[in-house]
């Protein structure tokens, strides 16, 4: 599984990096980005899905 | 205190809605539930004419449409703003009153100051503030959750952000108090009059900070350059006023509504006492269920919106709180679920105008609730009939007498 943030949709609500701080981080403006190459370690898939399900802008993308 | 303006009571919210009608102020949720089923874009001739979308889908559509709607005025006034309204794209209080493309420039200026890391660094001071407010009332049998506690948290945090001199604290609190009373004042002229002393004070502070810069938001705004140019004085003043008006009664309302809920739902209160690690999740549900803020837009040009003949300068009341109760967007939307895991709420809006202070608001709510429950793990409403709710586009309890139980 691989996560990424669509920068055109993200408005900096901050849900992804609050819920899954190992998978996402925030830049200087408070917008989210995927940590590293976005690969999700085994066992963290549910966290990734939780972040996706809580983004008000539907900006969290998951490739399975 | 508020003066009465005689307005006929609303009989049909689908064709004559009014967000200041006493029925709406007391309990808006049944009104919104009915409109969602029968008339998802309600209309009114009040305020010179306006529309109220109620569903999650329609609110999202309008919040994301900056082609047909402008933000140059985001608070509904008594009549059509017409050509007297501040011009787009800057508006009076940038960036909330700004349209693209200027909006993005103004927003990028303030976002770094309100990003997660600088906000997290404020936590110890917010906690210290909450503890000290609670110590002042710790021996009281009745504590007013709104006027003894919730109100002072964002007011003091804003004071911290703006770096106001400590010796001005009483003065600033007085001006804020008068201005905040004006928040609920229905007469716009009176409202402006009540806000004037605070404006004059801020002007003085900005001038003083020009001479003696410090490590605060005002000094930062004074130092920022965009394309080699310093910000216009009215831009700086407008952004400071925005921090004051958008940062105080909103968070005050959110903390107050959370305490109201805990006072009326002992099982939820006990759950947070037993599992304080659940508080961040609970904060999201407080935000969804009791979302305090509705924002306004103006229609740019005559335009047909799903069959609604919108006219230039018609008001739009963006019902984020109503969208948060839409059963098509939320499972069991009408139920408060304290450990709700999936919660894509719109309490901070949607699109380019997402509340710039949302990280700060969340921090204040979280710390305020943690400290309150530590000090007072058991409390209830002292008098249900004495609870009053604010009128207008920010909803929260303004009188909230809580009986502290041993």
């Amino acid at each position: 599984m691989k996560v990424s943030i669509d920068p055109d949709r993200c408005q900096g609500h901050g849900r992804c990096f609050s819920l899954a701080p190992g998978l996402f981080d925030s830049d200087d403006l408070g917008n989210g980005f995927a940590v590293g190459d976005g690969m999700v370690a085994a066992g963290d898939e549910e966290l990734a899905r939780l972040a996706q399900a809580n983004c008000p802008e539907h900006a969290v993308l998951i490739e399975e | 205190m508020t003066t009465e303006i005689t307005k006929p009571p609303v009989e049909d919210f689908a064709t004559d809605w009014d967000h200041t009608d006493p029925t709406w102020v007391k309990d808006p949720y049944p009104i919104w539930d009915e409109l969602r089923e029968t008339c998802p874009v309600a209309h009114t001739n009040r305020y010179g004419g306006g529309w109220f979308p109620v569903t999650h889908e329609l609110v999202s559509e309008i919040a994301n449409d900056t082609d047909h709607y402008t933000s140059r005025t985001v608070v509904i006034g008594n009549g059509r703003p017409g050509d007297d309204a501040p011009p787009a794209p800057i508006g009076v209080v940038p960036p909330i009153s700004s349209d693209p493309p200027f909006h993005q420039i103004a927003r990028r200026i303030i976002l770094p100051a309100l990003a997660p890391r600088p906000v997290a660094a404020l936590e110890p001071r917010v906690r210290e503030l909450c503890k000290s407010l609670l110590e002042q009332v710790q021996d009281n049998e009745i504590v007013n959750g709104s006027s003894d506690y919730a109100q002072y948290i964002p007011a003091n945090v804003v004071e911290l952000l703006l770096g106001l001199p400590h010796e001005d604290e009483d003065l600033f609190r007085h001006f804020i108090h008068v201005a905040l009373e004006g928040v609920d004042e229905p007469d716009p002229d009176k409202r402006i009059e009540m806000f004037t002393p605070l404006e004059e004070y801020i002007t003085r502070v900005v001038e003083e900070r020009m001479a003696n810069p410090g490590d605060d938001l005002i000094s930062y705004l004074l130092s920022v350059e965009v394309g080699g140019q310093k910000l216009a004085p009215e831009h700086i003043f407008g952004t400071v006023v925005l921090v004051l008006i958008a940062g105080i009664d909103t968070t005050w309302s959110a903390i107050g509504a959370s305490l109201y809920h805990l006072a009326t739902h002992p099982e939820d209160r006990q759950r947070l006492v037993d599992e304080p690690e659940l508080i961040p999740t609970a904060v999201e549900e407080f935000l969804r269920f009791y979302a305090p803020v509705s924002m306004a837009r103006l229609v740019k040009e005559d335009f047909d919106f799903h069959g609604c003949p919108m006219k230039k300068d018609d008001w739009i009341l963006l019902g984020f709180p109503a969208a948060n109760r839409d059963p098509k967007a939320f499972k069991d939307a009408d139920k408060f679920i304290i450990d709700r895991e999936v919660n894509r709420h719109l309490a901070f809006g949607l699109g380019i105008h997402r509340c710039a202070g949302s990280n700060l608001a969340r921090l204040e709510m979280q710390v305020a609730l943690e400290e309150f429950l530590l000090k007072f793990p058991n409390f209830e409403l002292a008098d249900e009939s004495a609870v009053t709710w604010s009128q207008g586009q920010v909803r929260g309890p303004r009188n909230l007498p809580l009986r502290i139980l041993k």
Side-chain angles (χ1 to χ4, degrees):
Chain A
M1 183 188 273
K2 189 178 176 187
V3 291
S4 60
I5 300 279
D6 179 347
D8 294 330
R9 296 202 70 99
C10 175
Q11 298 290 351
H13 289 260
R15 304 293 292 126
C16 59
F17 50 81
S18 302
L19 289 164
L23 297 176
F24 303 96
D25 199 351
S26 64
D27 64 17
D28 289 348
L29 296 176
N31 290 331
F33 64 88
V35 172
D37 60 5
M39 292 308 293
V40 178
D44 282 350
E45 293 89 349
E46 276 312 301
L47 267 182
R49 288 198 188 91
L50 188 67
Q52 183 181 46
N54 277 282
C55 176
E57 308 284 354
H58 298 262
V60 176
L61 309 175
I62 293 182
E63 287 171 55
E64 308 238 12
Chain B
M1 291 282 97
T2 56
T3 45
E4 293 294 320
I5 292 188
T6 316
K7 282 201 272 191
V10 173
E11 282 172 16
D12 179 5
F13 281 94
T15 57
D16 185 35
W17 63 264
D18 188 338
H19 59 303
T20 67
D21 187 83
T23 314
W24 179 308
V25 172
K26 190 155 190 275
D27 186 10
Y29 305 107
I31 299 170
W32 301 343
D33 289 345
E34 192 182 331
L35 287 176
R36 207 178 290 113
E37 296 295 316
T38 58
C39 180
V41 188
H43 183 257
T44 191
N45 285 320
R46 298 177 190 228
Y47 306 102
W51 305 87
F52 174 54
V54 192
T55 66
H56 185 282
E57 193 181 359
L58 294 169
V59 168
S60 304
E61 185 179 341
I62 296 178
N64 280 303
D65 182 353
T66 54
D67 292 331
H68 292 103
Y69 306 96
T70 166
S71 284
R72 64 189 172 137
T73 306
V74 291
V75 179
I76 294 178
N78 261 347
R80 294 176 85 76
D83 296 331
D84 292 338
I90 299 175
V92 175
V93 280
I96 201 174
S97 60
S98 313
D99 289 331
F102 180 78
H103 165 268
Q104 195 183 22
I105 297 169
R107 186 164 168 92
R108 277 173 179 241
I109 291 168
I110 60 159
L111 283 182
L114 299 166
R117 282 179 186 86
V119 164
L122 291 172
E123 187 195 318
R125 300 182 72 176
V126 176
R127 197 171 294 284
E128 194 185 316
L129 163 70
C130 293
K131 280 181 191 293
S132 112
L133 290 168
L134 291 166
E135 269 164 28
Q136 288 169 38
V137 294
Q138 64 184 353
D139 299 323
N140 297 13
E141 193 186 323
I142 307 285
V143 170
N144 196 308
S146 178
S147 59
D148 287 339
Y149 188 59
Q151 174 176 9
Y152 286 116
I153 297 163
N156 279 273
V157 168
V158 162
E159 192 182 302
L160 206 69
L161 270 186
L162 300 180
L164 301 181
H166 193 62
E167 59 270 25
D168 282 4
E169 194 175 321
D170 289 344
L171 198 65
F172 176 73
R173 273 206 193 170
H174 171 70
F175 292 150
I176 283 283
H177 179 74
V178 174
L180 286 176
E181 286 219 324
V183 166
D184 295 334
E185 167 59 55
D187 177 352
D189 291 337
K190 192 99 191 294
R191 201 159 59 210
I192 288 166
E193 194 182 302
M194 293 170 88
F195 200 70
T196 304
L198 182 62
E199 283 193 5
E200 289 172 355
Y201 173 72
I202 292 300
T203 306
R204 280 211 307 280
V205 173
V206 173
E207 281 166 3
E208 191 273 331
R209 216 54 61 78
M210 283 166 103
N212 300 300
D215 179 25
D216 58 82
L217 188 64
I218 297 175
S219 303
Y220 165 73
L221 292 171
L222 285 164
S223 73
V224 167
E225 288 188 8
V226 176
Q229 299 249 306
K230 290 275 173 73
L231 301 183
E234 55 273 24
H235 183 154
I236 294 174
F237 178 79
T239 298
V240 172
V241 170
L242 171 61
V243 169
L244 288 166
I245 55 183
I248 299 181
D249 65 325
T250 50
T251 312
W252 167 19
S253 298
I255 296 169
S258 308
L259 292 175
Y260 169 82
H261 180 89
L262 296 176
T264 49
H265 296 79
E267 65 292 355
D268 286 341
R269 179 183 48 68
Q270 194 56 48
R271 180 100 190 261
L272 294 188
V273 169
D274 296 340
E275 300 171 54
E277 66 281 7
L278 191 62
I279 290 178
T281 305
V283 160
E284 300 305 318
E285 183 68 342
F286 288 129
L287 283 165
R288 182 188 75 86
F289 205 76
Y290 297 96
V293 183
S294 304
M295 277 289 143
R297 296 284 186 272
L298 286 169
V299 177
K300 276 191 187 169
E301 301 293 340
D302 292 7
F303 160 62
D304 183 277
F305 180 73
H306 301 289
C308 301
M310 294 183 169
K311 301 284 177 218
K312 180 179 192 289
D313 283 342
D314 277 356
W315 295 103
I316 305 288
L317 181 63
L318 271 183
F320 296 119
N324 278 349
R325 302 275 191 123
D326 185 344
K328 282 207 177 117
F330 298 93
K331 195 165 174 261
D332 296 320
D334 59 344
K335 288 198 179 69
F336 183 97
I337 301 172
I338 199 154
D339 55 2
R340 186 185 285 272
E341 277 212 316
V342 174
N343 200 343
R344 210 174 239 152
H345 66 77
L346 307 185
F348 294 114
L350 206 61
I352 64 166
H353 288 282
R354 185 270 303 169
C355 170
S358 62
N359 297 307
L360 191 54
R362 283 188 165 110
L363 172 74
E364 292 177 50
M365 287 179 74
Q366 204 171 310
V367 174
L369 295 175
E370 283 169 7
E371 293 302 324
F372 197 93
L373 288 167
L374 266 180
K375 183 64 103 182
F376 303 126
N378 197 0
F379 57 94
E380 63 182 15
L381 281 187
D383 178 3
E384 172 109 49
S385 65
V387 177
T388 56
W389 295 81
S390 57
Q391 158 191 297
Q393 288 177 222
V394 179
R395 175 179 163 80
R398 289 296 176 263
N399 187 35
L400 185 61
L402 304 173
R403 179 175 295 106
I404 306 302
L405 304 169
K406 294 301 159 207

